[in-house]
Amino acid sequence: SKPFLKIAASIALLIGVASILYYLFSHSTSSTIVYESGKSKQDIRLSDGSKVLLSAQSTLSENKNYGKNNRILQLKGTAYFSVVHDTNMPFIVDVGNVYIKDIGTKFTIDAAPTRDTIFVNVEEGVVLLFDSIGSSLEIQASEKALYIKSQKRIVAPSKLNIEKRHMV
């Protein structure tokens, strides 16, 4: 019975990720508002009440109709998010075919375009890190994860901690 539950959970997760990807690619992604931080951080309050602290040399773009029929943002650089949760309209940050979906939380994304990695640090709540080829990982509060773009691979929190210890 346990293998059946694991298979059912995996199928449910894949259906969820496929649904989100379909939603992302079937809706217009033309941006209407672009925030550029320049040399200093920028505080942004979005129309849904969510807050973003955009780090220096970073860009955040809001999709057309943000808050009306979607809550999709594009990030180049680093930002801290404090998200107002809405189960009917997921909050999704697109960092170039890699996505971070809020499941009610506060988190940081470091996605500098010049680096091969995307770093996600969850302070509070849960996020789902996934890409356009079906890899996904749920990241809990106080956990971190890394996405390696060239390998199209997610490094889970437990492995990330082990790798960090070896670097010290």
Side-chain angles (χ1 to χ4, degrees):
S1 135
K2 285 188 180 182
F4 174 76
L5 290 176
K6 286 182 180 180
I7 292 169
S10 297
I11 291 170
L13 181 64
L14 286 174
I15 290 170
V17 168
S19 299
I20 291 168
L21 289 173
Y22 172 78
Y23 178 83
L24 288 171
F25 295 117
S26 68
H27 287 74
S28 169
T29 57
S30 60
S31 298
T32 54
I33 300 174
V34 177
Y35 304 95
E36 293 187 72
S37 60
K39 293 183 180 178
S40 60
K41 293 180 179 181
Q42 181 178 357
D43 273 313
I44 303 164
R45 187 175 184 94
L46 302 171
S47 59
D48 63 358
S50 295
K51 296 175 191 169
V52 180
L53 179 57
L54 190 61
S55 294
Q57 307 300 323
S58 298
T59 304
L60 185 73
S61 304
E62 267 186 38
N63 271 15
K64 186 177 183 179
N65 298 319
Y66 178 91
K68 294 180 184 91
N69 67 2
N70 74 68
R71 294 198 311 160
I72 301 170
L73 302 168
Q74 288 80 38
L75 174 67
K76 290 181 183 163
T78 303
Y80 173 80
F81 297 86
S82 180
V83 179
V84 173
H85 189 62
D86 180 349
T87 51
N88 296 321
M89 200 177 309
F91 183 95
I92 299 172
V93 181
D94 175 352
V95 288
N97 291 326
V98 178
Y99 308 92
I100 297 85
K101 176 187 172 193
D102 162 65
I103 308 176
T105 192
K106 295 180 180 178
F107 58 99
T108 302
I109 301 171
D110 186 352
T114 56
R115 284 198 306 259
D116 189 39
T117 56
I118 297 165
F119 181 71
V120 180
N121 180 13
V122 178
E123 181 181 308
E124 197 178 285
V126 181
V127 300
L128 179 66
L129 171 64
F130 64 100
D131 64 14
S132 58
I133 59 170
S135 297
S136 67
L137 175 68
E138 198 171 87
I139 309 166
Q140 306 287 326
S142 74
E143 289 183 338
K144 301 165 178 59
L146 200 62
Y147 185 88
I148 304 169
K149 293 187 272 188
S150 62
Q151 298 175 13
K152 294 185 177 10
R153 182 171 74 96
I154 297 171
V155 179
S158 58
K159 292 185 178 178
L160 190 58
N161 292 336
I162 291 166
E163 289 173 15
K164 278 186 172 177
R165 273 189 236 121
H166 290 302
M167 288 183 205
V168 175

